[in-house]
């Protein structure tokens, strides 16, 4: 490790320690406990929140670890509730490019993250207006599969829906046409809400027009409608068909949405959802959002 890199990693470790020390456990959904020796988070708690091993996180704070991945930096940003400026500084110290807005590494709206933490018993996740999943709680992963580990165009579930047939297998085939129409109308509404100079939405639309005749046909119909709430039928590998209400809460600028899933009234979905925590995360072939 070169001298400049070594100095940066030492600073990275010091920065992580300083951010850890300022957070109170209750702010991130952890019990305060009667015998805490420090007011902030412990190293093992940060590791747990970020999905890292304690040994790995200890190495990062010592400045002796390897260069953290962009996925790990995004997880640390959320675990430590970093502001956008602090997030950018963390990526700088790790010699990683700052994620572009709307990518899987986007800075999650603090209010969305706070609400997500307050929904431990409900599958919930935060997505962008282009259906890139930014963060999921454990029950959302158990219900829908891990969605935050994709990059590039594939990070958008819209892109996967229209270009990868397997992406639809989580829904019954009879629901596919309705889902396609809903996705296209939502994308048109989201694109219209963005600045006219925005290239992220226009690039996604252009790619889908080239790749999918189905998308092109639906786009030509000019339907416009945000997805605010929706009733979905999901096929879970262990629990079978689950019917849920998918509710949306929009951030003030419309760029991010908190989705949470509740059992549809008049079905046995409440019992099936109650089993999610016991079953744990399943390998899902086709995430949704």
């Amino acid at each position: 490790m070169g001298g400049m890199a070594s100095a940066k990693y030492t600073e990275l470790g010091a920065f992580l320690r300083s951010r850890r020390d300022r957070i109170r456990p209750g702010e991130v959904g952890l019990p305060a406990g009667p015998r805490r020796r420090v007011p902030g988070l412990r190293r093992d708690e940060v590791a747990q929140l970020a999905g890292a091993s304690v040994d790995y996180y200890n190495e990062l704070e010592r400045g002796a670890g390897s260069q953290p991945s962009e996925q790990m930096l995004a997880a640390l940003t959320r675990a430590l509730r970093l502001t956008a400026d602090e997030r950018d500084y963390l990526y700088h110290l790790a010699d990683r490019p700052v994620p572009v807005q709307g990518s899987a590494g986007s800075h999650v709206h603090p209010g969305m993250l706070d609400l997500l933490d307050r929904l431990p018993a409900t599958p919930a996740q935060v997505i962008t207006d282009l259906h890139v999943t930014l963060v999921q709680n454990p029950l959302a992963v158990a219900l829908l599969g891990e969605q935050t580990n994709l990059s590039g165009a594939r990070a958008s579930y819209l892109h996967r829906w229209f270009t990868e047939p397997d992406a639809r297998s989580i829904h019954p085939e009879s629901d596919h046409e309705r889902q396609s129409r809903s996705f296209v109308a939502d994308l048109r509404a989201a694109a219209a809400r963005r600045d006219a100079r925005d290239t992220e939405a226009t690039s996604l639309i252009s790619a889908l027009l080239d790749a999918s005749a189905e998308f092109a046909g639906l786009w030509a119909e000019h339907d416009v409608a945000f997805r605010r709430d929706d009733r979905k039928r999901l096929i879970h590998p262990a629990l079978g068909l689950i019917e849920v209400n998918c509710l949306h809460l929009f951030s003030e600028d419309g760029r991010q949405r908190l989705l949470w899933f509740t059992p549809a009234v008049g079905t046995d979905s409440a019992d099936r959802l109650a089993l999610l925590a016991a079953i744990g995360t399943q390998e899902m072939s086709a995430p949704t959002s």
Side-chain angles (χ1 to χ4, degrees):
M1 185 185 297
M4 183 175 295
S6 178
K8 269 191 173 183
Y9 289 175
T10 298
E11 175 62 22
L12 184 149
F15 181 62
L16 290 175
R17 285 194 301 276
S18 72
R19 301 304 89 183
R20 171 169 63 84
D21 289 344
R22 69 175 183 163
I23 297 180
R24 300 301 176 260
E27 295 172 345
V28 291
L30 294 173
R35 298 182 178 179
R36 299 187 71 90
R37 291 181 295 176
V38 294
L41 297 181
R42 299 191 301 264
R43 286 188 292 271
D44 63 296
E45 290 172 331
V46 176
Q48 174 191 338
L49 290 168
S53 73
V54 177
D55 288 343
Y56 176 79
Y57 182 75
N58 285 343
E59 289 291 295
L60 285 181
E61 281 210 0
R62 289 177 49 221
S66 58
Q67 183 186 31
S69 68
E70 292 173 40
Q71 186 176 354
M72 177 53 61
L73 293 172
L76 289 169
T77 294
R78 291 158 193 162
L80 294 169
R81 297 297 192 271
L82 301 186
T83 66
D85 291 338
E86 290 170 335
R87 186 278 308 264
D88 292 355
Y89 183 60
L90 178 65
Y91 275 74
H92 166 71
L93 293 174
D95 286 321
R96 295 289 190 185
V98 174
V100 297
Q101 186 171 348
S103 72
S106 291
H107 189 259
V108 182
H109 189 288
M112 295 289 188
L113 204 53
D114 182 60
L115 285 171
L116 185 73
D117 288 339
R118 296 174 188 273
L119 295 169
T122 302
Q125 59 188 26
V126 179
I127 69 170
T128 73
D129 57 343
L130 302 184
H131 293 261
V132 175
T133 302
L134 301 178
V135 61
Q136 300 172 278
N137 69 9
L139 284 181
V141 176
L143 178 64
L144 305 167
E146 174 61 60
Q147 301 181 14
T148 61
N149 56 355
L150 301 171
S151 60
R154 295 192 68 243
S156 169
Y157 184 60
L158 276 172
H159 190 276
R160 300 196 303 279
W161 178 266
F162 287 104
T163 62
E164 301 177 21
D166 287 348
R168 302 186 178 199
S169 62
I170 194 173
H171 293 284
E173 189 172 352
S174 57
D175 294 351
H176 290 181
E177 181 181 354
R178 181 177 65 86
Q179 291 285 355
S180 292
R181 288 185 174 279
S182 178
F183 276 135
V184 173
D186 182 84
L187 176 58
R188 187 176 285 279
R193 189 167 184 168
R194 290 185 170 220
D195 187 280
R197 295 165 296 181
D198 181 276
T199 60
E200 187 185 6
T202 54
S203 294
L204 175 61
I205 293 165
S206 178
L208 288 174
L209 287 171
D210 289 341
S212 170
E214 179 192 17
F215 177 86
L218 292 172
W219 189 255
E221 295 184 12
H222 294 273
D223 290 339
V224 184
F226 280 118
R227 291 170 72 120
R228 290 186 171 85
D229 55 74
D230 196 10
R231 187 150 170 165
K232 295 175 179 286
R233 296 193 299 163
L234 305 174
I235 302 172
H236 189 276
L239 300 175
L241 189 67
I242 305 176
E243 197 159 353
V244 298
N245 297 311
C246 177
L247 306 172
H248 296 221
L249 178 67
F250 290 70
S251 63
E252 189 173 340
D253 64 2
R255 290 294 188 98
Q256 294 184 12
R257 309 172 187 183
L258 174 67
L259 311 184
W260 70 101
F261 301 84
T262 61
V265 175
T267 72
D268 63 354
S269 296
D271 294 336
R272 293 175 187 261
L273 287 176
L275 292 171
L276 275 178
I279 290 176
T281 301
Q282 301 288 329
E283 284 296 322
M284 303 289 286
S285 60
T288 186
S289 58

